[in-house]
Amino acid sequence: MSKRFVIVGLGLIGGSMALALKGFEDFEIVGVDVSEPTLRFAREHGVADAVTNRAREAVEGADVVMLALHPQGILDFLEEHRDSFKAGCLVTDVCGVKSAVMEGAKCLPPQVDFIGCHPMAGTEFSGVEHAFAEMFQGSHLILTPREDSTEEHLELLERLARHIGCQDVVRTTPGQHDAILAYTSQMMHIIAVSVCDDPSLFACKGYEGSSFRGCTRVAALDVRLWTQLFSLNAPALVGCLDTLIGNLSAYREAIASGDREALAGKLAWSADRKRKMDLPGPDLLG
Amino acid sequence: MSKRFVIVGLGLIGGSMALALKGFEDFEIVGVDVSEPTLRFAREHGVADAVTNRAREAVEGADVVMLALHPQGILDFLEEHRDSFKAGCLVTDVCGVKSAVMEGAKCLPPQVDFIGCHPMAGTEFSGVEHAFAEMFQGSHLILTPREDSTEEHLELLERLARHIGCQDVVRTTPGQHDAILAYTSQMMHIIAVSVCDDPSLFACKGYEGSSFRGCTRVAALDVRLWTQLFSLNAPALVGCLDTLIGNLSAYREAIASGDREALAGKLAWSADRKRKMDLPGPDLLG
């Protein structure tokens, strides 16, 4: 008899997860959403094995429930459905802040496990119509287990990561996750929108190359989602922005001073740090 | 009888230009470089129809000379070879600052035309071994003609742009070019190195997604080249950085204030600007 894997929220990430999970062990993939157009699209395109707007029924029969909602939506869903999960069920999520979500999951009864999950993938679009099965290929999957999370559940999520094509699985604490993500993800979005706030934005069409496209791509963001992510991680993000503003100001001074040798030395130091990172960057040309 | 197109400097851009120019009308493509390893690589890989380290001889017989050197190298080459170009020759370049180069080109005799040229393409690597023919596909080619530049020469460069696959050709003034490029290109590089100056850089491996890779890709820059580009365009770049620091600080305040509604309004404004730009961004996933 097959087990049931319920994905709540068939947006960009939930829809892509459903597509990527096709054929995962003996799970039946069930998608839940409140939007009729989303359910119709998902049904017509075979995004999941079954789709429904009846969250409670779906959750009651689930072995795994993955909440692919905005952070506040996750907190609200946990609160509303805390007593619907069956004993032994694994509840997880996909969102970009972990402390607030892990805190919210404390409302679950003791026989329901919760492991925070954050697949580091996405695009600047939203909605099931932009979902695609390859989204997670080569990305990192971050897990923040509770102290009493079972090894069986952690291993299940590691097999899931392999199935959807993740590059690796990283286990960490919610606090560590949020501190690092403020830097690697949230700050990148604040940079992108800040660059687009420049009065010259529209004059620059025809003069932009790959560095501009790469830096500003994510500026066309999902406002509700990112307002929540920034707000739920405000202290860490503000700290990162202060560091960035300091580093930018130091470069500004080095350039304004006219001391080319000092500028070259500073650039060599930064460029060397980047090379030591040795990230497999996207091949961005043109 | 074929005409001669000389590319001085077979680095990443000069080498890619030579490869992309294969079969361009009836031009013989001649590559000039001072480095023996570069010339050997270019010869063995057929980067140009002919390669040589004898710049003066190559230039003397040239109908078009494209200087693919660092900015200071271009200024030095013009000064040294000003009397070697034949009458009617078109001299051009590929570099990312135009006022300084157009100023330097004033040393040329009146019968030699100079049109500033900037193909907006590149990667974070350097050297002929990273050159590839497709580099300019879909990029913008910017031209800054002199007042007395001939239409014949401008049309030649427009045909060149089509041959190497550029998306379009934009004609502008050196001052306008440098003002916009400070924003669209130079500032992107300062952002990238400033992000990499954060003490958390090395701790973030395993936690980076496409936004981080896209923003920091160009941090591993060619230090000599970018020191020159930043220094030769310092006032415009410092102005852009001041605007950016102001915009980042405004976001920092909006996040620190805890006023979610104000933050959402601000994000909606910026995201809407980005959508209106409607840039064909690189498809960056994972």
Side-chain angles (χ1 to χ4, degrees):
Chain A
M1 194 186 114
S2 76
K3 288 177 287 178
R4 182 178 289 183
F5 194 117
V6 173
I7 299 173
V8 180
L10 289 175
L12 177 72
I13 304 295
S16 296
M17 186 62 78
L19 288 166
L21 278 177
K22 264 186 208 305
F24 179 52
E25 301 180 356
D26 56 347
F27 282 102
E28 179 198 18
I29 310 297
V30 179
V32 174
D33 208 284
V34 293
S35 152
E36 266 314 312
T38 294
L39 291 170
R40 195 178 322 120
F41 184 98
R43 206 175 285 119
E44 285 169 3
H45 292 79
V47 169
D49 296 321
V51 297
T52 175
N53 63 358
R54 300 164 86 159
R56 185 166 307 271
E57 275 177 35
V59 160
E60 280 169 353
D63 299 280
V64 184
V65 177
M66 177 175 274
L67 304 176
L69 302 165
H70 288 192
Q72 191 58 51
I74 292 173
L75 299 178
D76 295 344
F77 192 94
L78 287 168
E79 188 62 35
E80 186 182 343
H81 296 277
R82 55 199 285 179
D83 298 318
S84 305
F85 301 100
K86 73 178 184 190
C89 178
L90 167 63
V91 184
T92 182
D93 74 316
V94 298
C95 104
V97 287
K98 294 271 81 86
S99 299
V101 168
M102 296 301 288
E103 191 58 34
K106 286 186 179 162
C107 74
L108 293 173
Q111 67 276 21
V112 177
D113 195 3
F114 188 91
I115 299 180
C117 176
H118 181 197
M120 296 230 23
T123 73
E124 66 275 36
F125 304 110
S126 57
V128 70
E129 61 275 25
H130 292 112
F132 57 101
E134 299 76 21
M135 170 168 288
F136 308 100
Q137 298 278 352
S139 67
H140 306 295
L141 188 92
I142 308 177
L143 298 181
T144 58
R146 292 199 309 212
E147 274 187 28
D148 63 349
S149 291
T150 68
E151 203 51 42
E152 179 199 338
H153 286 154
L154 281 160
E155 283 168 12
L156 170 65
L157 292 177
E158 286 179 352
R159 294 196 307 275
L160 172 148
R162 276 197 296 278
H163 187 84
I164 65 176
C166 292
Q167 178 188 143
D168 51 27
V169 177
V170 182
R171 290 189 198 184
T172 187
T173 62
Q176 174 77 347
H177 171 278
D178 290 356
I180 297 188
L181 267 286
Y183 172 57
T184 60
S185 170
Q186 292 164 11
M187 190 170 84
M188 299 306 117
H189 289 73
I190 296 294
I191 290 172
V193 288
S194 296
V195 166
C196 289
D197 282 355
D198 192 295
S200 307
L201 178 70
F202 299 112
C204 89
K205 229 178 149 170
Y207 296 88
E208 85 295 340
S210 60
S211 60
F212 190 85
R213 293 177 198 166
C215 176
T216 62
R217 178 182 62 89
V218 293
L221 43 70
D222 178 330
V223 172
R224 274 188 55 233
L225 170 63
W226 287 94
T227 299
Q228 292 181 23
L229 292 172
F230 297 148
S231 301
L232 290 169
N233 202 22
L237 179 54
V238 166
C240 288
L241 286 171
D242 286 339
T243 302
L244 174 68
I245 290 169
N247 289 333
L248 283 168
S249 301
Y251 263 111
R252 184 226 181 269
E253 294 314 312
I255 293 160
S257 76
D259 183 343
R260 287 197 190 191
E261 212 169 310
L263 178 58
K266 197 165 160 48
L267 285 170
W269 190 78
S270 306
D272 191 46
R273 285 171 67 80
K274 179 58 167 66
R275 283 195 196 94
K276 281 197 187 118
M277 264 287 275
D278 192 27
L279 278 186
D283 195 25
L284 254 189
L285 310 168
Chain B
M1 193 186 114
S2 75
K3 289 178 285 177
R4 180 178 291 182
F5 194 117
V6 173
I7 298 172
V8 180
L10 289 175
L12 177 72
I13 304 294
S16 296
M17 187 62 77
L19 289 166
L21 279 176
K22 266 188 208 304
F24 179 49
E25 300 181 354
D26 56 348
F27 283 102
E28 180 199 15
I29 310 297
V30 178
V32 174
D33 208 284
V34 293
S35 151
E36 267 312 313
T38 294
L39 291 170
R40 194 178 321 121
F41 184 98
R43 206 176 285 120
E44 285 170 2
H45 293 78
V47 169
D49 296 320
V51 298
T52 175
N53 63 0
R54 300 165 87 161
R56 186 165 307 272
E57 275 177 34
V59 160
E60 279 169 354
D63 299 280
V64 183
V65 176
M66 177 175 273
L67 305 176
L69 303 164
H70 288 191
Q72 190 59 50
I74 292 173
L75 299 177
D76 295 344
F77 193 93
L78 287 168
E79 188 63 35
E80 186 183 344
H81 296 277
R82 55 199 284 178
D83 297 320
S84 304
F85 301 100
K86 73 179 184 190
C89 178
L90 166 62
V91 185
T92 183
D93 76 316
V94 297
C95 103
V97 287
K98 294 271 80 84
S99 299
V101 167
M102 297 301 287
E103 192 60 32
K106 286 185 178 162
C107 74
L108 293 173
Q111 67 276 18
V112 177
D113 195 2
F114 187 92
I115 299 178
C117 176
H118 182 196
M120 296 228 26
T123 73
E124 67 275 34
F125 304 110
S126 56
V128 69
E129 61 274 25
H130 293 111
F132 57 100
E134 300 76 21
M135 170 169 288
F136 309 101
Q137 299 278 353
S139 66
H140 305 295
L141 188 91
I142 308 176
L143 298 180
T144 58
R146 293 197 310 213
E147 275 188 25
D148 63 349
S149 290
T150 67
E151 205 50 43
E152 180 199 337
H153 285 154
L154 280 160
E155 284 168 10
L156 170 64
L157 291 177
E158 287 179 352
R159 294 197 305 277
L160 172 147
R162 278 197 294 278
H163 187 84
I164 65 176
C166 292
Q167 176 188 146
D168 52 27
V169 176
V170 183
R171 291 188 198 184
T172 187
T173 62
Q176 174 78 349
H177 170 278
D178 291 356
I180 297 186
L181 266 287
Y183 172 56
T184 60
S185 171
Q186 292 164 12
M187 190 169 85
M188 298 305 116
H189 289 74
I190 296 294
I191 290 171
V193 289
S194 296
V195 167
C196 290
D197 281 356
D198 192 295
S200 307
L201 179 70
F202 298 113
C204 88
K205 231 179 145 167
Y207 296 87
E208 84 295 340
S210 61
S211 59
F212 190 85
R213 293 176 198 167
C215 176
T216 61
R217 178 183 61 92
V218 294
L221 43 70
D222 178 331
V223 172
R224 275 188 55 232
L225 170 63
W226 287 95
T227 300
Q228 293 181 22
L229 293 171
F230 297 148
S231 301
L232 290 169
N233 203 22
L237 179 53
V238 166
C240 289
L241 286 171
D242 286 340
T243 302
L244 174 67
I245 290 168
N247 288 333
L248 283 168
S249 301
Y251 264 112
R252 183 223 181 271
E253 292 315 311
I255 293 160
S257 77
D259 183 343
R260 287 197 190 192
E261 211 169 310
L263 177 58
K266 197 165 159 52
L267 284 170
W269 190 78
S270 305
D272 191 47
R273 285 171 66 81
K274 179 56 168 61
R275 283 194 195 93
K276 282 196 185 119
M277 262 290 274
D278 193 26
L279 277 185
D283 194 25
L284 259 188
L285 311 168

